[in-house]
Amino acid sequence: MFAEAEATSVDLGIAWYRNLVETVFPTDKGVRFYVLRHDGKPVAALPLLVVNQPLGQQVCALANYYSALYAPILRTGIQAPDLVPLLRSILKHEGGVASLRMAPMDPETQSYRTMFEALRLAGMVPFRYFCFGNWYLNVQGDWAQYLADRKGTLRSTIKRMNKKLSQNGGTLEVVESDSECERVIQAYQQVYDQSWKVPEPYPRFVPDLIRLCARNGWMRVGIAWLDGKPLAAQLWIVANGKASIYKVAYDEAYKQFAPGTLVTSALMEHVLTKDAVQEVDYMIGDDKYKQTWMNHRRERWGILAYNPRNMRGLYGLVREMAGKTAKEWVKRYRARFKRSATVATETSGKANGRQETTAD
């Protein structure tokens, strides 16, 4: 089941979860994999994390800011009523569950709709909420066509900076060989340490992810070099016809070479030409620079379900509903005020028109 889910996205596969658990939650006693079986065969699985809180526990998706996508692992044909026994089992065995939160999810999928309805049928009160925008490229044509479709400023930057880097003795490379794994990890970490980014709270996660990707043939690491020093490095994950831009970093001391742009360009040419991917995914966030490279946007949403039979869950539910009611009243008030202002403007305009006619 996890192998089938992995074909949709790497971060739904068992290899991803193994790395996440071993590097981020190695001693966390809240890690769970709930499995539903029909006639002894698994038909649904929920990777979860139980977080202890006063007056009620929160059950969350087994995910964090490293995760760009989460989904329940469901066999084809599983409907919302089928999941009710699994959800009730979670409420029973964890004891005192106040809420269940699953994110980030694709709101357009059947699994999202199925889980939302299943939570309602299990006696919880679910709400949808926005997580982040996700920019991606629906590949049409080859590298030359892709580049021709980009803005002239980007094409000019790529051409000028490639020339500048080359004239100064710099080089670009794209590495995908497992035998080069440790070398690119060292280069990536060297760039990351010199970048603007805050230190990784879980320093093992990315290196072990690179090793995982290398073993599976998914690793694409782009590096810009100058005088033997890495200026920029990016990790892209290529699997099942999709390239995911997972980690990017550059040394700000060398920003005059636009090394991040050059590495992105080199990797994009590689995945379009050699890997022939159908999609390139810029993953998490609406950063403006992503629109330069991508051509479509979608959204990731979450589900937050409260347990009204728990004190903390009931409090959360009341607060959620009060907040939504207040927002609705504000929305109506603004709409009414806008209509009133429009009518007042139109009336004033007509009055001014009459005065001018009289004066004439």
Side-chain angles (χ1 to χ4, degrees):
M1 288 176 61
F2 279 92
E4 293 173 359
E6 188 177 76
T8 300
S9 181
V10 165
D11 39 11
L12 299 180
I14 200 66
W16 171 273
Y17 281 113
R18 181 176 290 114
N19 185 54
L20 185 68
V21 171
E22 290 178 353
T23 62
V24 178
F25 305 110
T27 60
D28 197 316
K29 296 182 179 180
V31 174
R32 306 281 191 273
F33 285 83
Y34 273 91
V35 180
L36 175 68
R37 299 177 186 272
H38 283 175
D39 299 325
K41 298 179 180 180
V43 295
L46 295 179
L48 300 172
L49 183 69
V50 179
V51 180
N52 290 319
Q53 296 177 328
L55 303 178
Q57 301 184 97
Q58 183 178 64
V59 179
C60 307
L62 185 56
N64 68 352
Y65 43 80
Y66 290 128
S67 307
L69 187 66
Y70 176 85
I73 312 299
L74 306 179
R75 288 287 192 194
T76 302
I78 291 296
Q79 303 295 318
D82 300 321
L83 296 177
V84 173
L86 183 62
L87 294 173
R88 287 179 176 167
S89 176
I90 294 171
L91 295 177
K92 176 182 177 181
H93 289 289
E94 297 305 336
V97 173
S99 61
L100 192 150
R101 183 189 298 268
M102 292 185 177
M105 301 177 70
D106 182 350
E108 302 301 322
T109 59
Q110 182 62 43
S111 63
Y112 184 91
R113 294 186 288 269
T114 298
M115 182 54 62
F116 190 91
E117 179 63 13
L119 288 163
R120 188 186 65 80
L121 294 175
M124 301 189 78
V125 184
F127 296 88
R128 299 175 176 87
Y129 68 94
F130 173 77
C131 294
F132 52 81
N134 168 225
W135 285 87
Y136 68 101
L137 173 72
N138 182 12
V139 178
Q140 301 290 334
D142 57 13
W143 164 248
Q145 181 61 54
Y146 168 81
L147 198 59
D149 291 339
R150 306 278 68 78
K151 291 182 178 180
T153 51
L154 178 61
R155 293 195 301 271
S156 176
T157 298
I158 293 172
K159 184 177 180 179
R160 288 186 298 103
M161 292 301 135
N162 261 311
K163 183 178 180 180
K164 182 176 181 179
L165 182 67
S166 178
Q167 288 177 339
N168 282 271
T171 58
L172 294 168
E173 71 168 335
V174 175
V175 184
E176 56 181 311
S177 172
D178 187 10
S179 63
E180 297 287 315
C181 182
E182 296 307 316
R183 180 175 71 86
V184 300
I185 289 175
Q186 183 179 3
Y188 169 81
Q189 290 184 314
Q190 185 176 341
V191 172
Y192 192 92
D193 290 343
Q194 298 298 319
S195 73
W196 73 97
K197 297 191 173 184
V198 297
E200 291 280 1
Y202 304 101
R204 281 185 53 204
F205 180 85
V206 174
D208 281 6
L209 176 62
I210 295 175
R211 295 183 181 101
L212 162 66
C213 292
R215 289 194 301 270
N216 286 278
W218 302 337
M219 181 186 76
R220 306 291 185 273
V221 175
I223 307 172
W225 296 91
L226 182 64
D227 298 327
K229 180 178 181 178
L231 313 185
Q234 297 184 13
L235 168 63
W236 290 27
I237 301 174
V238 176
N240 304 302
K242 181 171 77 170
S244 299
I245 305 175
Y246 193 73
K247 278 288 185 178
V248 302
Y250 69 89
D251 188 335
E252 290 185 287
Y254 296 90
K255 62 182 179 181
Q256 69 269 24
F257 292 101
T261 298
L262 294 183
V263 171
T264 301
S265 173
L267 279 162
M268 188 69 76
E269 182 177 5
H270 184 95
V271 301
L272 295 186
T273 304
K274 185 174 180 180
D275 296 312
V277 299
Q278 289 83 53
E279 180 181 309
V280 181
D281 187 348
Y282 231 134
M283 308 189 83
I284 301 173
D286 277 313
D287 309 84
K288 192 171 182 179
Y289 70 87
K290 295 179 179 179
Q291 302 174 39
T292 303
W293 300 94
M294 305 291 110
N295 58 10
H296 290 82
R297 181 186 182 274
R298 57 197 168 198
E299 294 182 347
R300 299 306 185 216
W301 284 62
I303 300 174
L304 174 58
Y306 294 99
N307 181 9
R309 298 175 182 83
N310 172 271
M311 181 69 70
R312 187 184 182 95
L314 181 60
Y315 171 75
L317 175 59
V318 171
R319 188 174 61 177
E320 185 84 28
M321 295 183 71
K324 288 187 177 296
T325 301
K327 288 180 181 178
E328 185 61 30
W329 275 106
V330 169
K331 183 179 178 180
R332 291 181 181 180
Y333 173 79
R334 286 177 176 173
R336 184 175 299 177
F337 177 80
K338 186 176 181 180
R339 287 196 299 270
S340 298
T342 301
V343 171
T345 301
E346 291 175 350
T347 302
S348 175
K350 291 178 180 179
N352 289 336
R354 287 194 296 269
Q355 291 171 359
E356 291 169 0
T357 302
T358 303
D360 291 343

